[in-house]
Each structure stands twice: as structure tokens, then as C-alpha cells.
Amino acid sequence: MITLKRSDSNNTDFQTLVVELDRYLAIMDGDEHTFYAQYNKSDGLKYVVVAYDGDAPVGCGAIKHYADGVMEVKRMYVAPSARGQGIASTVLKELEDWTIQLAYKTCLLETGVKQLEAIRLYQKSGYNIIPNYGQYQGVSNSICFEKMLHASLSNFAS
């Protein structure tokens, strides 16, 4: 059974998963990895979700303040051995719920055009392609997404 834990970037399981993510991205991004790596620092993240299969950390994601009312989704990753089980969708939904609880209304994110599984995940989850924002403007290997979040009563049930 998959369980989720809210934490921050000091979580050692999150740090371990991010090392795996960075290795994976170094292969996928090739020559552009150095450019992207400068924007993917994980220290100081206040809002981190780690997914566990039993006691084993298998996935993660984070959100960080981008602008008034806007959170940026960062460091989404699922270990290859755990893919295909809906873990990324579950982590993303938890990040969206947390965003709403923090009184933000929008999530945005960037991923690489070669990250086909990630692109499918975001589209399936209701994210829309937007013009590249911030440091990703004019970067042809980046694709950016945005989702307007809607609070439901279930988000605030006690």
C-alpha cells in the first residue's frame, strides 16, 4: 500500500530520491543538464511529499512559492521499479491539495520535451500547456504547464 508523508527538503528519503532524479535527468537532458540543474535546487523546500511503499521511499514531489497565488511544482519523481502504479498522480494530487490548503489558486511547472511520461501525467491531471515562463522562456527543450485549482469541500473537511 502506498502512503504519503508531508515533509520538507530536510527529509532524508526525499534527498535520496532527488539524487536518483538528478542522475536520471543528467541522462535525459544530456548537454542541457547544467542549465536545468541550476533551477532544480532542492534545499530549502518547505512543502515536500514523499510516497512510500511500506517503508521504502518510491516517489516524491514538492511545491514552492512562485508568485502571489501561484505555486510551482518541483522535483517530481517515481523510482523506475515503482512506475505504472499511479504514484506520480497520487503525489501530484497531494501537492495540489496542499496548495489549496495554503490558499494558493494555481500550480505551474516545467518539464522537458523528452519527458513523455511526465507530459502525459500533467495533461491527464488537467494541466494546460502555457508559454514558457521565467527562466524557461525561449528554451526549446522545455514545456510549461499550468492548472487552476478549485477548492472542494473535501479539502476542508475536518
Side-chain angles (χ1 to χ4, degrees), residues 127-152:
Y127 284 75
N128 297 306
I129 296 173
I130 59 170
N132 287 7
Y133 63 89
Q135 64 268 23
Y136 307 111
Q137 292 177 12
V139 179
S140 62
N141 290 321
S142 287
I143 183 168
C144 295
F145 290 89
E146 177 181 70
K147 181 177 181 180
M148 305 300 277
L149 304 176
H150 304 285
S152 67

Side-chain angles (χ1 to χ4, degrees), residues 8-75:
D8 61 28
S9 59
N10 293 318
N11 180 296
T12 55
D13 293 329
F14 174 71
Q15 293 170 358
T16 299
L17 288 165
V18 165
V19 168
E20 291 178 29
L21 169 61
D22 286 338
R23 280 191 203 121
Y24 171 75
L25 290 176
I27 294 165
M28 291 298 291
D29 294 340
D31 293 340
E32 285 114 18
H33 183 68
T34 303
F35 169 78
Y36 291 111
Q38 68 183 321
Y39 300 113
N40 288 326
K41 305 294 183 211
S42 297
D43 51 327
L45 292 172
K46 296 180 191 175
Y47 312 107
V48 165
V49 171
V50 180
Y52 292 88
D53 185 357
D55 292 332
V58 294
C60 64
I63 47 176
K64 73 176 213 177
H65 173 85
Y66 182 79
D68 287 347
V70 181
M71 280 285 194
E72 184 178 21
V73 176
K74 304 293 287 181
R75 313 314 284 160

